[in-house]
Amino acid sequence: MSERVNVKKKQSAPVKEAKAQAALPALGPKGMLRWAWTQLTSMRTALFLLLLLAVAAVPGSLFPQRPANPAVVTQYIKDHPDYGKLLDSLQLYDVYSSAWFSAIYLLLFISLIGCVVPRAIAHYKAMRSQPPRTPQRLSRLPEYGTLVIPADAAVPASEAVSGAARVLRKRGYRVEVRDADGALPSLGAERGFMKEVGNLVFHTSLIGVLVSVAAGGLFGYSGQRILVEGDTFVNTLVGYDQFNPGTNFQSSQLQPYSLQLDKFNITFDRESRGKFGQPIDFAATVTTKENPDAPPKQEILKVNDPVTLGGTSIYLTGNGYAPVVTIRDGAGNVAMQGPVVAKLQGDNYYSSVVIKVPDAQPDQLGFVGFFLPTAFVSDKNVSFSADPELFNPQLTLNSYYGDLGLNKGAPQNVFELDVKNLTPLNARNLAAGGITLAPGSTYTLPDGKGSISFDGVKRYIGVDIHHNPGQLYALVFALLAVAGLILSLYVNRRRVWVRTGTADDGRTMVEYGLLARGEDHRLAGEAAALRKLFATEWQLPEEGAPGDTSENAAPSQQTPRRTSDNVAGSAGKAEGPAANAEGSITTPAGPTGPEKDQ
């Protein structure tokens, strides 16, 4: 025993020494680039990048985004001074245009192209190539069966192979017949190429979706506009209240269409108790023109039913009331006249109102208050709106005078008034009291600062305008991706081989085997279906009842065969016309009894 150990140690010593002296060759710059490209273009990397892109998009829903609303981002940074600026430095307020999100996006794009192109070339070559050669031992295939054509049927081996080829072609197989005039003619058949085609369509469609989304981000734009009844929107940059251009947007992309709000109608629920007064339908009647010379066209704009003009989609996103006021300054001149958009704040269209009058003389004027469509006063002397309809409209305001800060050029929120540097004129806690106006009434401001008149009420709508040149293509590619995925999941790649031969007694012996690429739980069903079709082709009798041991009994009705490699070579003894080592058919079909271990 000790001698054997010493011999092993002597033999292992040179091996250890050789391993210690061995050195891996250096890859070099080209080798490193080749290795990096191989890793990047692997399917595993593409799936990882796809998952990483989904994870990277999560911060876009957790934090306010600057392209959507810069004011909200500014306020968020003020409210969170400890980490607000840190998030800004990490570009978490501009997630979808950040450097790290773009890097993941581009890497995924390159990875998918690197995956699809080589696979498409390889699949094209596979589709043009012939099916693989016929195996010597078909009995080793997952699905195997035998059939015997009686001698009196006068079907030689070559004609049997031709019949099998016809059956397989009708079933969608691509067939190649081999040695048709030989002693052992055979054929190879293959089908299911659409599975890989579906795979390629799926991944190519993902590339198309990425390109379409990128095109929308580069050349698209979106904007918002508030339209009061009677107002007209013209598709120019100055016509938007807020505009978000794409990275490569050009003003020449704007088509000169126009849209006028003629009437806005709301239907409120007046029947149910729990939802009484809730709006149940919105309809905006608008007049559109594709260009200045086009004839006007009247359309209905509704929620989730946009109007399409000039390649843009116009969506109805909001509505409210706009009190019409006339404000005169201290000199008696009209400083402002027209509707003022009231911002919804509570139930029954309770709305806040801000009016800025920078043209008033000698002092600029400002008003802050609320508008009530149906004004009521509670027991605690608090005004509220009891109904969303205009049954008792009321405008309640506080007034101020001074410098509004508009002359400095700094942008301001039209729905907010900074009163820090203003002097109050009217308020509930002042001697002059607040301003309460009904339609048609006028109030004279204290100290000769002017007057304000409540002339009436109009409705307004808020619209979102979107232009995305890649939107339609993204939809098409998404549908193609789904179709490709369905193909790859439900189509199976299968191969079938059939070998025939003539026995000494004149019978034609047929054996066939099926093989699937990957898992195919329906392969056994396919084998049974082919067996029936073969039997019909050669007019063989119906299979016997369970337990039948006739020559053409189904494999499941014959004596079970061993599947180990040690007995696969003796399949000719137990399974009928199995091929021997030289690939010839030597025994008649039909079971001969249980096999023994070899």
Side-chain angles (χ1 to χ4, degrees):
M1 185 67 181
S2 61
E3 292 179 357
R4 291 183 179 179
V5 174
N6 292 333
V7 171
K8 289 183 178 180
K9 289 183 178 179
K10 290 180 181 179
Q11 291 177 349
S12 62
V15 176
K16 291 182 179 180
E17 184 177 354
K19 287 183 178 180
Q21 294 178 356
L24 294 175
L27 289 178
K30 291 184 178 180
M32 287 296 296
L33 289 175
R34 189 179 296 109
W35 175 84
W37 176 254
T38 303
Q39 297 300 315
L40 178 61
T41 56
S42 67
M43 188 57 63
R44 181 179 300 176
T45 302
L47 292 175
F48 173 76
L49 289 172
L50 190 62
L51 176 62
L52 188 61
L53 187 70
V55 174
V58 172
S61 60
L62 297 178
F63 304 105
Q65 297 299 295
R66 188 170 280 111
N69 198 329
V72 174
V73 174
T74 303
Q75 188 61 40
Y76 186 87
I77 295 175
K78 291 181 180 179
D79 296 339
H80 303 86
D82 47 351
Y83 61 86
K85 292 184 178 179
L86 176 62
L87 297 179
D88 195 12
S89 63
L90 296 176
Q91 297 181 303
L92 292 180
Y93 304 128
D94 302 275
V95 169
Y96 306 111
S97 59
S98 63
W100 47 271
F101 189 87
S102 301
I104 299 173
Y105 193 92
L106 291 175
L107 286 175
L108 176 61
F109 184 77
I110 296 172
S111 178
L112 286 174
I113 293 178
C115 289
V116 169
V117 173
R119 287 182 62 175
I121 295 173
H123 186 59
Y124 176 76
K125 293 179 179 178
M127 292 180 66
R128 293 180 61 86
S129 64
Q130 297 298 330
R133 64 183 181 86
T134 307
Q136 288 187 349
R137 294 184 177 180
L138 295 179
S139 59
R140 292 190 175 186
L141 298 180
E143 294 296 330
Y144 173 76
T146 62
L147 288 169
V148 177
I149 304 175
D152 55 7
V155 179
S158 59
E159 188 175 335
V161 165
S162 300
R166 286 193 298 271
V167 169
L168 291 171
R169 287 193 181 98
K170 290 180 181 178
R171 202 159 175 82
Y173 285 87
R174 187 187 61 175
V175 181
E176 181 191 23
V177 178
R178 292 119 181 205
D179 300 327
D181 299 327
L184 293 174
S186 65
L187 64 83
E190 196 170 11
R191 86 173 198 183
F193 289 99
M194 293 303 294
K195 182 180 183 67
E196 182 63 15
V197 170
N199 243 328
L200 294 173
V201 168
F202 173 74
H203 290 93
T204 305
S205 298
L206 287 182
I207 298 174
V209 170
L210 292 177
V211 173
S212 301
V213 173
L218 290 173
F219 305 104
Y221 61 87
S222 63
Q224 293 78 38
R225 172 64 190 267
I226 292 177
L227 287 174
V228 181
E229 289 175 331
D231 284 356
T232 300
F233 165 73
V234 179
N235 190 32
T236 59
L237 288 178
V238 296
Y240 288 87
D241 293 331
Q242 185 175 344
F243 188 76
N244 302 309
T247 306
N248 288 352
F249 168 79
Q250 302 293 330
S251 58
S252 58
Q253 293 178 235
L254 297 176
Q255 299 297 321
Y257 64 82
S258 63
L259 180 144
Q260 177 180 314
L261 176 61
D262 300 324
K263 187 70 175 176
F264 182 66
N265 297 311
I266 306 179
T267 303
F268 295 100
D269 188 352
R270 298 299 182 185
E271 297 180 359
S272 63
R273 295 182 179 180
K275 297 182 179 180
F276 184 85
Q278 296 294 320
I280 57 177
D281 187 41
F282 306 91
T285 303
V286 296
T287 299
T288 61
K289 295 179 68 174
E290 287 284 352
N291 54 69
D293 299 327
K297 179 181 178 182
Q298 194 170 72
E299 299 186 60
I300 302 297
L301 176 62
K302 305 186 72 173
V303 178
N304 297 326
D305 188 11
V307 170
T308 302
L309 284 172
T312 65
S313 297
I314 304 173
Y315 298 86
L316 176 62
T317 58
N319 69 91
Y321 290 107
V324 180
V325 297
T326 299
I327 299 175
R328 297 179 181 272
D329 59 15
N333 299 319
V334 176
M336 175 185 173
Q337 187 174 37
V340 178
V341 173
K343 185 178 180 182
L344 295 179
Q345 297 290 349
D347 297 334
N348 294 323
Y349 280 70
Y350 171 88
S351 308
S352 63
V353 176
V354 173
I355 305 173
K356 301 178 184 180
V357 192
D359 296 331
Q361 296 295 333
D363 298 299
Q364 296 179 345
L365 299 175
F367 300 85
V368 177
F370 52 88
F371 171 74
L372 306 175
T374 303
F376 269 78
V377 180
S378 67
D379 298 338
K380 299 180 180 180
N381 199 28
V382 177
S383 298
F384 67 96
S385 179
D387 196 276
E389 284 283 10
L390 296 172
F391 294 135
N392 183 30
Q394 185 181 93
L395 189 60
T396 302
L397 301 170
N398 293 339
S399 63
Y400 302 84
Y401 73 94
D403 185 7
L404 299 177
L406 296 174
N407 297 331
K408 298 178 182 179
Q412 292 187 12
N413 190 335
V414 295
F415 297 110
E416 295 180 359
L417 178 64
D418 187 0
V419 299
K420 294 180 181 178
N421 299 322
L422 300 178
T423 303
L425 282 173
N426 291 95
R428 295 183 63 183
N429 57 350
L430 298 179
I435 302 173
T436 302
L437 295 173
S441 61
T442 301
Y443 180 85
T444 301
L445 298 176
D447 302 332
K449 297 299 183 181
S451 64
I452 179 171
S453 300
F454 184 14
D455 302 329
V457 182
K458 292 185 177 182
R459 294 185 183 271
Y460 73 85
I461 62 172
V463 295
D464 272 2
I465 302 160
H466 292 272
H467 174 67
N468 188 344
Q471 185 175 8
L472 178 60
Y473 299 102
L475 175 61
V476 172
F477 283 120
L479 294 176
L480 285 175
V482 174
L485 186 61
I486 292 174
L487 276 178
S488 64
L489 290 177
Y490 288 95
V491 175
N492 296 103
R493 184 83 176 272
R494 294 166 180 165
R495 290 172 177 171
V496 179
W497 292 275
V498 179
R499 181 186 288 119
T500 63
T502 304
D504 294 338
D505 56 3
R507 292 181 298 173
T508 301
M509 324 304 292
V510 181
E511 62 173 347
Y512 60 91
L514 285 81
L515 178 67
R517 293 191 62 178
E519 294 186 4
D520 186 357
H521 302 291
R522 294 175 292 178
L523 189 63
E526 179 70 6
L530 288 178
R531 184 179 185 85
K532 291 181 180 179
L533 292 173
F534 289 154
T536 303
E537 174 69 21
W538 298 315
Q539 298 181 358
L540 299 178
E542 294 291 336
E543 295 177 356
D548 182 15
T549 58
S550 62
E551 290 178 335
N552 288 323
S556 60
Q557 298 171 344
Q558 298 178 5
T559 304
R561 60 186 176 91
R562 300 296 298 268
T563 56
S564 65
D565 289 341
N566 292 333
V567 300
S570 61
K573 298 178 181 179
E575 300 168 0
N580 61 13
E582 288 75 24
S584 61
I585 298 176
T586 57
T587 61
T592 60
E595 293 182 352
K596 295 181 180 180
D597 293 336
Q598 302 295 314

